[in-house]
Amino acid sequence: MLVAMARKTANDDALAPVTLAVGQEDLLLDRAVQEVVAAAKATDADTDVRDLASDQLQPGTLAELTSPSLFAERKVVVVRNAQDLSADTIKDVKAYLGAPAEEITLVLLHAGGAKGKGLLDAARKAGAREVACPKMTKPADRLAFVRSEFRTTGRSATPEACQVLVDAIGSDLRELASAVSQLVADVEGTIDEAVVGRYYTGRAEASSFTVADRAVEGRAAEALEALRWSLATGVAPVLITSALAQGVRAIGKLSSARGGRPADLARELGMPPWKIDRVRQQMRGWTPDGVSIALRAVAEADAGVKGGGDDPEYALEKAVVTIARAARSRGRS
């Protein structure tokens, strides 16, 4: 079943003559294909599936694949990276869109963007069923994805559990989906933070968000240890600077907000209520000057890991130490 986050057009028939999956998130693109194939095989177990890279679809190939069969078999033709098709092949596809064959479902996977936009527009104009598969670059998107995965299985997971799982696994949607499947298979009842921690403790300790949490709490030694572990296990430096930035900005937002209940502040600041409680605990030693110092440190580290410095690891260590000191600035004033 395709995750609810992958938006679809009003035509939600998986056996529509043409399905257009648009985006760069590989897991969602694969699921769009799997959904069509599953629907076809549910109708005809002997469905012939042809899964082609763009360079395998040459001029004339589509006509061969979609020509009438003596056995009238159902067929699914998948074309990946359709934006890379040659001009002559695109002409073939556009012609086919005007008169699709019966019992055949064409699935076009397109990255979106300017390249191959003519084919994208032609498929939409022809009324293709569309599935949006956008790249999930924001932590909030990945958190929503995890929640959706649990909902799809019919299981309940607490907001804290979902956040810990994202913190532990990182940005790989396949690994996040796999982790949800494992937890659902192994754990009965509501999945909470403690359960996720037991399963993914090592990963969580090495995550970029753990580095940020320890830093904004003023725990420099633990933050540095988590940082070195993160880098040793392959966490990208840019993800760590992103987590540090989010942590410091959350402190700044909450410290400048008017007091109120977590639910009211959550609406005002765009944070879940449980995070409001966590940030409140983290911000006790902070001052406005400390927030400014920490933000400058994050900006310098970000420049350092993106090519502005010779040693990304040193840039991150310097930022972590500076942030941890800033977190204790109230006590030194």
Side-chain angles (χ1 to χ4, degrees):
M1 183 178 183
L2 199 65
V3 293
M5 294 179 64
R7 301 182 302 278
K8 304 174 186 176
T9 54
N11 176 12
D12 197 19
D13 180 7
L15 293 180
V18 180
T19 285
L20 181 63
V22 184
Q24 299 179 42
E25 191 60 70
D26 289 340
L27 175 65
L28 300 185
L29 290 167
D30 285 346
R31 285 186 175 183
V33 173
Q34 292 162 9
E35 184 180 33
V36 172
V37 171
K41 291 196 170 184
T43 302
D44 180 356
D46 295 325
T47 294
D48 181 20
V49 180
R50 303 294 180 91
D51 196 327
L52 307 173
S54 57
D55 59 359
Q56 292 177 292
L57 196 71
Q58 298 297 322
T61 304
L62 185 60
E64 293 176 15
L65 292 173
T66 57
S67 59
S69 167
L70 291 175
F71 304 101
E73 63 183 356
R74 179 172 289 279
K75 186 179 292 186
V76 175
V77 178
V78 180
V79 180
R80 297 183 182 269
N81 296 311
Q83 72 278 358
D84 295 331
L85 292 172
S86 69
D88 288 339
T89 303
I90 287 176
K91 288 180 183 177
D92 285 355
V93 176
K94 286 182 177 180
Y96 178 82
L97 293 172
E102 293 185 10
E103 302 299 309
I104 292 177
T105 299
L106 175 64
V107 184
L108 298 173
L109 275 56
H110 194 293
K115 188 175 183 181
K117 189 173 184 298
L119 177 58
L120 199 60
D121 293 341
R124 287 168 172 161
K125 186 175 180 180
R129 167 182 178 262
E130 185 169 343
V131 182
C133 306
K135 195 75 176 173
M136 295 188 186
T137 57
K138 298 179 180 178
D141 292 338
R142 296 191 287 274
L143 182 59
F145 171 80
V146 168
R147 289 173 175 164
S148 177
E149 289 290 285
F150 279 118
R151 281 197 301 269
T152 298
T153 66
R155 294 292 300 280
S156 176
T158 66
E160 294 86 350
C162 294
Q163 184 66 61
V164 169
L165 192 59
V166 172
D167 291 353
I169 300 299
S171 59
D172 191 316
L173 251 58
R174 292 187 190 278
E175 290 196 28
L176 285 170
S178 176
V180 170
S181 297
Q182 181 179 0
L183 288 166
V184 166
D186 293 354
V187 179
E188 296 182 358
T190 299
I191 295 165
D192 60 18
E193 183 177 5
V195 168
V196 176
R198 285 200 302 272
Y199 272 73
Y200 296 100
T201 268
R203 297 287 296 272
E205 288 174 355
S207 77
S208 54
F209 288 98
T210 299
V211 178
D213 283 341
R214 299 297 84 80
V216 299
E217 289 162 6
R219 295 152 68 178
E222 293 176 42
L224 287 171
E225 182 181 359
L227 171 63
R228 289 160 190 154
W229 196 349
S230 294
L231 295 172
T233 55
V235 176
V238 68
L239 294 179
I240 299 173
T241 55
S242 175
L244 289 170
Q246 289 180 54
V248 175
R249 285 175 189 144
I251 297 286
K253 282 182 180 180
L254 192 56
S255 62
S256 62
R258 291 169 297 178
R261 296 178 304 170
D264 296 332
L265 287 170
R267 284 191 293 271
E268 180 183 342
L269 303 178
M271 300 180 193
W274 65 264
K275 188 170 183 180
I276 296 291
D277 290 334
R278 177 185 288 181
V279 176
R280 270 179 168 165
Q281 294 173 357
Q282 293 174 333
M283 63 183 282
R284 288 171 183 162
W286 285 88
T287 64
D289 285 344
V291 171
S292 297
I293 290 168
L295 286 173
R296 285 198 297 272
V298 171
E300 290 174 5
D302 189 55
V305 303
K306 291 179 178 176
D310 296 328
D311 190 342
E313 183 173 342
Y314 172 74
L316 287 169
E317 288 181 354
K318 182 180 177 183
V320 164
V321 170
T322 302
I323 292 167
R325 286 176 179 166
R328 299 193 301 273
S329 53
R330 189 182 300 276
R332 297 198 305 272
S333 60

